[in-house]
Amino acid sequence: MQDYTKHRDENSRDELWIVEHPPVFTLGRNGKQAHILDAGNIPVIPIDRGGQVTFHGPGQLVIYFLIDLKRRKLGVRQLVTYIEDSIVKFLASHQVVANSDPKAPGVYVNKKKIAALGLRISKGCSTHGLSLNVDMDLSNFKRINPCGYKGLEVTQCKNVGVNLSLEEVAQALTHQLITFFPQAEGV
């Protein structure tokens, strides 16, 4: 992501990268080590996104946004809102009521976090993105203060009645993001 953003120019295509990570804790630029309660044998990787600490692992959908915000005339808050609203709409299409919280970016179902966001903007372009818990081992979130919030509970699509595979969620959410995203051509 860093290399792509560093070398991109005004003609570079915007991209969405869809991945699934092995177990890892990531600590944002302003992240506090104190929010890692017990990493155990899971690596802790300091990264250049915003936010605190989160867990990534099998069964979690991660989508990275390599978007030229200047070209699209988007601000960071607008990008965050588009991402959150797309996740909320995806969940609503499966009869799940979800919401975002401007004071704590991400998406919540019954006050439990189902999706986290962490972005970095460099040269007017975004990197990093969202993680949506689909069908994973949630116990690793108890080894941290998720997103820097002590006692924050997390949930996943499977637990709220969205019984789709990771690939099916990736396809549906990507479609929702592209449909919802302004000037979506070229993403």
Side-chain angles (χ1 to χ4, degrees):
M1 286 183 294
Q2 293 167 338
D3 189 58
Y4 183 82
T5 300
K6 181 179 178 182
H7 293 101
R8 71 182 295 166
D9 62 28
E10 64 276 353
N11 299 313
S12 299
R13 289 179 53 96
D14 290 337
E15 296 185 2
L16 297 180
W17 291 3
I18 301 166
V19 300
E20 180 182 23
H21 288 294
V24 63
F25 294 110
T26 60
L27 190 62
R29 288 186 341 198
N30 298 320
K32 295 182 175 116
Q33 202 67 33
H35 290 300
I36 302 167
L37 307 175
D38 176 19
N41 61 352
I42 298 175
V44 177
I45 308 294
I47 58 174
D48 65 347
R49 66 159 167 75
Q52 288 286 334
V53 64
T54 196
F55 173 75
H56 298 299
Q60 182 187 65
L61 174 64
V62 177
I63 302 179
Y64 294 127
F65 293 79
L66 285 77
I67 306 291
D68 184 333
L69 299 178
K70 288 190 299 189
R71 179 171 60 213
R72 291 183 183 267
K73 298 177 177 61
L74 282 174
V76 178
R77 184 66 233 172
Q78 285 177 291
L79 176 60
V80 168
T81 298
Y82 288 128
I83 294 169
E84 290 171 334
D85 289 352
S86 293
I87 297 167
V88 168
K89 191 163 185 174
F90 161 73
L91 291 168
S93 73
H94 295 278
Q95 292 70 52
V96 176
V97 176
N99 66 285
S100 58
D101 180 348
K103 296 176 186 169
V107 175
Y108 303 82
V109 175
N110 296 323
K111 298 184 180 179
K112 296 179 182 178
K113 196 164 207 171
I114 194 166
L117 276 70
L119 297 167
R120 172 159 172 85
I121 309 302
S122 175
K123 294 173 39 180
C125 298
S126 64
T127 54
H128 299 285
L130 71 85
S131 59
L132 174 63
N133 303 332
V134 177
D135 183 3
M136 63 187 298
D137 177 2
L138 296 176
S139 67
N140 289 307
F141 285 101
K142 297 208 178 288
R143 300 168 79 173
I144 60 173
N145 290 328
C147 303
Y149 292 98
K150 184 178 181 180
L152 177 66
E153 291 187 64
V154 296
T155 192
Q156 59 188 335
C157 292
K158 177 183 174 183
N159 293 0
V160 298
V162 180
N163 295 307
L164 300 174
S165 69
L166 189 72
E167 293 78 17
E168 290 169 321
V169 173
Q171 185 176 10
L173 182 55
T174 301
H175 176 76
Q176 185 63 49
L177 287 161
I178 290 170
T179 301
F180 206 68
F181 205 80
Q183 306 167 2
E185 317 79 47
V187 174

